Amino acid sequence: MGILELMLGESGPGESGVEGRSYKLPKENHDFVYPVAVRRSEIEAFRELLAADADAPSAADDAEELEAAFDQVLGETDIDAEELAERQRKPRLETEAIIDHWDEQLSEEIGVVYARQGTYPTLLSFVKRCKQRDEDGTDPFELPESVSDGTAFLGRLETATNEQYRAVVHTDLLPSSA
């Protein structure tokens, strides 16, 4: 038995017409990901966007304010304002977890991050929400100038998740969500 069999587990003939041997890795601690090149400035652009969103909270993030608005417009309703407010905060919280993890992993000015299935829609949802807030004249939120760096990365992430091969990595290298 070779060292790879000891480290990676059982081997077998190659699959899908691929010559050679395949190794079955345990699914409980390995996942398919998309490796994507990233610049430190792109991670920082997302950090600035997250900070801008947190510094200018939206009325939709405040359950009490939402409840008051619903009561004023619709009278007494069965709409769960807390649940709606949580849904509004979710893209920022998920994006923050992803960006925090990638920031810890990136040690150079340019590197590679691993995006799980669902990472692109999560980041896109957050960026779209921020752009909508920026366009709303009643919302004090303003897009940071660096947003174009973040959207450049978002474009590469979209391409990678649509067209690129996936890699298998150990889950301790991945963010816990998305």
Side-chain angles (χ1 to χ4, degrees), residues 28-40:
E28 60 271 3
N29 59 6
H30 289 82
D31 200 1
F32 285 101
V33 295
Y34 300 94
V36 184
V38 66
R39 291 177 178 84
R40 166 84 37 216

Side-chain angles (χ1 to χ4, degrees), residues 71-83:
D71 288 347
Q72 183 180 10
V73 174
L74 304 172
E76 290 297 316
T77 65
D78 289 336
I79 296 173
D80 186 348
E82 184 63 42
E83 182 182 327

Side-chain angles (χ1 to χ4, degrees), residues 9-177:
E10 194 175 312
S11 70
E15 295 180 15
S16 303
V18 176
E19 293 287 328
R21 308 208 44 90
S22 292
Y23 292 90
K24 293 182 181 177
L25 300 173
K27 290 181 181 179
E28 60 271 3
N29 59 6
H30 289 82
D31 200 1
F32 285 101
V33 295
Y34 300 94
V36 184
V38 66
R39 291 177 178 84
R40 166 84 37 216
S41 62
E42 295 164 338
I43 296 290
E44 291 305 318
F46 268 98
R47 282 229 173 274
E48 289 176 27
L49 190 57
L50 286 161
D53 189 55
D55 289 346
S58 163
D61 290 342
D62 186 348
E64 289 178 21
E65 216 172 300
L66 274 177
E67 191 74 47
F70 287 144
D71 288 347
Q72 183 180 10
V73 174
L74 304 172
E76 290 297 316
T77 65
D78 289 336
I79 296 173
D80 186 348
E82 184 63 42
E83 182 182 327
L84 187 57
E86 184 59 35
R87 237 186 304 159
Q88 290 295 315
R89 286 188 296 264
K90 188 177 178 181
R92 181 178 68 221
L93 297 175
E94 289 176 345
T95 297
E96 189 169 35
I98 293 166
I99 297 301
D100 285 348
H101 183 80
W102 286 349
D103 192 28
E104 290 171 9
Q105 299 290 311
L106 192 63
S107 59
E108 303 291 326
E109 282 303 307
I110 297 177
V112 174
V113 294
Y114 300 124
R116 284 183 159 164
Q117 188 74 33
T119 299
Y120 173 71
T122 298
L123 298 183
L124 180 64
S125 172
F126 174 67
V127 170
K128 281 184 175 181
R129 179 177 179 267
C130 289
K131 286 184 177 184
Q132 289 170 344
R133 289 190 64 194
D134 186 56
E135 293 168 0
D136 181 353
T138 63
D139 192 327
F141 175 82
E142 290 184 27
L143 283 174
E145 289 182 25
S146 63
V147 75
S148 60
D149 287 340
T151 55
F153 171 73
L154 207 51
R156 276 197 317 285
L157 180 60
E158 178 184 28
T159 300
T161 57
N162 285 338
E163 301 171 3
Q164 188 170 308
Y165 67 91
R166 295 185 302 169
V168 178
V169 298
H170 197 280
T171 53
D172 66 356
L173 296 174
L174 303 173
S176 59
S177 63

